[in-house]
């Protein structure tokens, strides 16, 4: 019986081994990708461009390369090749739920406001949670209860009281996504709300790498993203750098990356738990900040406390950062962990620069709606900018603030003319408003094709510290490529094939 079992195992291995070896060799065989034009990513364009890929890496680039025996060829007629697009500041829907307001149809919202805007069920649940925990309902000055200025009304949200009344700071968090924009579903916040200073927490711990949001990014040609926390805390979490496709086990490039801080109103209203005390009702949620001076105070005190902690001095105050938070803040002060600061208005950008100078901090400016008013200051401090999205009427969450009224379509052009290191982001926008469409808008408003390509490939790779790996099509780099069925960033072009690590992760060719 023992011999019979051994012979059975031998025969099973003999039958299985020949079948598995060819499959592995096919997967590792060279690939040649070719198209009419190859945009290297650094401003260079190669006509009749070919890329030779072996073991997931770019081996050779040029016109009419010699094709090795057994190589697979991917050819898109009348098309173009670019590096995989990189969004250096993307907010990923953590649950995969999306709101879509595309020209061809709508998503399936749980509720729709009187103006046709969609509200996610989570926003309604937040409203219910807030108001079930309070026994008062007082009309606030300047708001018409359940009237035209009310983002939710009683007739649309069953037993939930009006989220504006009594809580004016909360109101914008429930405003619907702007019509005509496709983006991730909007909730007031997904970050930890136990403190205003939470740099010890990490986005990766709440990130679903199987979220359909990554599929949407892939369809837009985006292969790598810095996943940002939302700006509901003054000093928020550590972001992560991930690939949008491929095996889940290989997709995380950095589990912990830059920490996001925020100036302006977002920590006050997007962090919906931060609200003013009501008469004698002072609880956990009634905490700083509720004003711009409060935001600046929390930021300053956090780094001041971290300095005292490093010096072995006592740290006091009810709002002092936790021990783990201060350790991360100390690394930011030393330049060991990158810092980003979201600021839109000129005042907030200058406040960020002033606070950074006070503590000797280096940071990357995010969004920068009014950066065109701060060009000299940004240039003199060598502050890089992740700019975007481009808009006249603000989309998504930012539409609920007063920080977007002075947006300008020429801002990106102005940043480039001032020689400020800049990358372009779509932030939370997708589909017809995603990164490739943002690049198209940039083309429309004065940025050249070569510059636009750099803004979504080479420059974000440099800002993320990944320029040795991705961002341009050069020998030795990772084979993250997009094959377009026409000229990139053209209104009628789209990614036909997307490769990550030299493997096809998206194929939208006809047939």
């Amino acid at each position: 019986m023992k011999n019979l079992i051994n012979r059975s195992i031998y025969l099973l291995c003999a039958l299985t081994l020949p079948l598995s070896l060819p499959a592995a060799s096919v997967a590792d065989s060279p690939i040649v990708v070719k198209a009419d034009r190859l945009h290297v990513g650094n401003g260079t364009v190669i006509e009749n461009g070919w890329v030779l890929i072996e073991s997931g890496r770019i081996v050779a680039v040029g016109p009419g390369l010699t094709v090795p025996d057994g190589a697979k060829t991917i050819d898109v007629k009348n098309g173009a090749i670019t590096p995989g697009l990189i969004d250096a500041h993307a907010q990923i829907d953590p649950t995969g739920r999306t709101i879509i307001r595309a020209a061809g149809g709508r998503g399936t919202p749980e509720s729709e406001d009187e103006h046709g805007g969609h509200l996610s069920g989570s926003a309604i649940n937040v409203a219910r949670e807030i108001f079930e925990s309070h026994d008062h309902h007082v009309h606030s000055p300047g708001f018409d209860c359940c009237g035209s200025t009310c983002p939710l009304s009683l007739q649309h949200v069953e037993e939930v009281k009006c989220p504006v009344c009594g809580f004016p700071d909360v109101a914008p968090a429930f405003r619907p996504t702007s019509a005509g924009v496709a983006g991730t579903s909007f909730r007031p916040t997904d970050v930890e709300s136990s403190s205003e200073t939470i740099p010890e927490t990490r986005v990766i711990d709440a990130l679903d790498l199987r979220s359909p949001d990554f599929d949407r990014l892939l369809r837009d040609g985006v292969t790598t993203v810095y996943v940002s926390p939302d700006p509901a805390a003054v000093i928020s979490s550590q972001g992560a750098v991930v690939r949008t496709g491929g095996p889940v086990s290989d997709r995380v490039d950095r589990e912990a990356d830059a920490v996001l801080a925020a100036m302006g109103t977002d920590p006050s209203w997007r962090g919906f738990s931060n609200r003013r005390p009501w008469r004698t009702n002072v609880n956990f949620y009634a905490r700083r900040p509720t004003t711009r001076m409060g935001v600046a105070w929390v930021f300053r005190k956090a780094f001041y406390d971290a300095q005292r902690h490093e010096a072995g001095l006592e740290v006091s105050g009810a709002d002092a950062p936790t021990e783990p938070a201060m350790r991360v803040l100390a690394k930011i002060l030393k330049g060991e962990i990158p810092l980003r600061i979201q600021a839109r208005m000129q005042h907030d950008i200058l406040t960020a620069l002033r606070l950074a100078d006070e503590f000797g901090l280096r940071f990357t400016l995010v969004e920068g709606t009014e950066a065109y008013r701060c060009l000299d200051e940004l240039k003199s401090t060598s502050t890089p900018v992740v700019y975007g999205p481009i808009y006249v009427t603000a989309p998504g969450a930012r539409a609920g603030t007063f920080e977007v009224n002075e947006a300008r379509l020429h801002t990106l052009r102005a940043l480039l003319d001032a020689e400020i290191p800049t990358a372009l982001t779509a932030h939370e926008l997708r589909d017809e408003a995603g990164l490739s469409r943002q690049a198209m808008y940039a083309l429309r408003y004065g940025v050249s094709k070569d510059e636009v390509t750099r803004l979504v490939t080479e420059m974000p790779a440099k800002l993320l510290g990944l320029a040795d790996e991705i961002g341009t099509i050069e020998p030795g780099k990772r084979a993250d490529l997009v094959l377009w069925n026409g000229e990139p960033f053209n209104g009628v072009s789209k990614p036909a094939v997307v490769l990550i690590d030299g493997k096809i992760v998206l194929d939208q060719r006809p047939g």
Side-chain angles (χ1 to χ4, degrees):
M1 176 63 72
K2 183 176 180 181
N3 289 337
L4 180 60
I5 293 173
N6 288 339
R7 287 180 62 191
S8 300
I9 294 173
Y10 173 80
L11 287 172
L12 180 61
C13 293
L15 288 171
T16 306
L17 191 58
L19 292 175
S20 60
L21 285 177
S25 62
V26 169
D28 294 334
S29 17
I31 299 174
V32 173
V33 177
K34 56 183 181 178
D36 290 1
R37 290 164 307 284
L38 189 154
H39 298 265
V40 174
N42 57 10
T44 304
V45 179
I46 299 174
E47 298 296 329
N48 188 27
W50 294 40
V51 183
L52 175 59
I53 303 167
E54 292 183 4
S55 301
R57 293 279 167 173
I58 297 171
V59 175
V61 180
L65 299 174
T66 301
V67 179
D69 292 339
K72 177 181 179 180
T73 300
I74 304 175
D75 187 1
V76 177
K77 300 294 184 183
N78 302 314
I81 304 171
T82 67
L85 307 189
I86 304 168
D87 195 323
H89 196 87
Q91 283 192 357
I92 303 297
D93 190 338
T95 61
R97 297 177 60 184
T98 56
I99 297 175
I100 302 177
R101 293 296 306 274
R106 293 181 171 182
T108 307
E110 285 76 7
S111 179
E112 180 171 325
D113 85 333
E114 58 191 306
H115 307 294
H118 290 178
L119 297 159
S120 68
S122 54
I124 296 170
N125 291 336
V126 167
R128 180 176 289 110
E129 178 183 343
I130 290 175
F131 285 90
E132 284 179 352
S133 65
H134 292 78
D135 57 5
H136 61 273
H137 184 60
V138 181
H139 294 185
S140 297
F143 290 94
D144 177 15
C145 179
C146 298
S148 60
T149 60
C150 180
L152 294 178
S153 66
L154 295 177
Q155 62 180 323
H156 294 299
V157 191
E158 298 179 356
E159 75 276 16
V160 181
K161 295 178 181 179
C162 170
V164 174
C165 303
F167 299 90
D169 288 337
V170 180
F174 297 93
R175 292 182 182 175
T177 302
S178 300
V181 172
T184 61
S185 59
F186 174 58
R187 284 168 292 187
T189 181
D190 287 301
V191 301
E192 175 61 35
S193 296
S194 59
S195 171
E196 293 305 318
T197 306
I198 53 169
E200 74 277 21
T201 60
R202 308 187 308 169
V203 163
I204 194 70
D205 296 325
L207 185 64
D208 179 8
L209 289 171
R210 295 176 177 84
S211 168
D213 202 17
F214 287 110
D215 297 331
R216 302 171 76 195
L217 286 162
L218 265 182
R219 290 196 298 270
D220 199 32
V222 179
T223 56
T224 299
V225 293
Y226 164 85
V227 181
S228 172
D230 68 54
V234 177
I235 302 176
S236 194
S237 310
Q238 298 173 61
V241 179
V242 304
R243 309 173 198 185
T244 57
V248 171
S249 58
D250 298 335
R251 286 176 53 190
V252 179
D253 280 331
R254 290 196 193 126
E255 289 189 351
D257 202 76
V259 168
L260 177 71
M263 295 290 118
T265 60
D266 272 14
S268 298
W269 69 263
R270 195 158 174 174
F272 65 91
S273 299
N274 308 9
R275 51 181 176 266
R276 298 181 180 89
W278 175 250
R279 296 179 180 175
T280 59
N281 183 15
V282 181
N283 57 26
F284 170 80
Y285 298 108
R287 65 169 188 265
R288 278 188 301 261
T290 57
T291 63
R292 275 182 165 78
M293 67 175 69
V295 170
W297 165 259
V298 171
F299 184 96
R300 177 181 285 112
K301 187 177 188 302
F303 282 103
Y304 177 71
D305 286 347
Q307 287 178 333
R308 289 181 60 84
H309 182 264
E310 281 291 287
L313 301 175
E314 181 183 359
V315 174
S316 61
D319 54 353
T322 64
E323 180 86 15
M326 285 190 288
R327 288 198 295 268
V328 177
L329 293 170
K331 290 183 178 181
I332 294 174
L333 286 166
K334 295 173 185 175
E336 296 174 6
I337 294 178
L339 175 67
R340 294 172 169 223
I341 301 180
Q342 176 190 290
R344 300 184 182 108
M345 297 179 70
Q346 178 187 34
H347 171 81
D348 295 325
I349 296 172
L350 295 180
T351 298
L353 290 169
R354 176 167 49 83
L355 289 169
D357 181 65
E358 181 177 336
F359 291 99
L361 294 168
R362 298 278 302 148
F363 74 94
T364 297
L365 174 65
V366 176
E367 285 210 42
T369 305
E370 295 184 17
Y372 63 90
R373 290 177 164 165
C374 314
L375 297 175
D376 291 341
E377 292 85 355
L378 292 170
K379 184 173 182 178
S380 66
T381 55
S382 302
T383 301
V385 180
V386 179
Y387 178 78
I390 299 169
Y391 55 81
V392 174
T393 301
R398 62 188 63 77
T401 74
F402 296 99
E403 300 174 351
V404 295
N405 297 337
E406 300 298 327
R408 294 291 185 271
L409 294 171
H410 72 259
T411 302
L412 196 54
R413 178 71 266 167
L415 288 166
L416 296 177
D417 288 343
E419 299 180 343
I420 295 169
T422 304
L424 179 60
T425 177
H427 213 91
E428 81 286 357
L429 302 184
R430 303 287 183 267
D431 305 324
E432 77 277 6
L435 189 58
S436 64
R437 186 58 62 93
Q438 294 295 315
M440 188 187 77
Y441 295 156
L443 283 171
R444 183 178 297 173
Y445 298 110
V447 183
S448 71
K449 172 61 71 66
D450 292 342
E451 288 173 319
V452 163
T453 305
R454 292 190 67 208
L455 290 174
V456 293
T457 57
E458 183 183 39
M459 286 308 301
K462 287 182 176 180
L463 293 183
L464 293 175
L466 292 171
D468 291 338
E469 280 287 299
I470 55 176
T472 55
I473 303 175
E474 298 177 280
K477 293 194 175 182
R478 201 165 77 203
D480 292 2
L481 305 173
V482 182
L483 282 72
W484 303 79
N485 63 0
E487 191 61 16
F489 319 130
N490 184 306
V492 295
S493 297
K494 69 175 184 178
V497 180
V498 179
L499 294 90
I500 295 180
D501 284 329
K503 296 179 176 61
I504 295 176
V505 292
L506 178 73
D507 192 339
Q508 299 187 116
R509 289 175 289 181

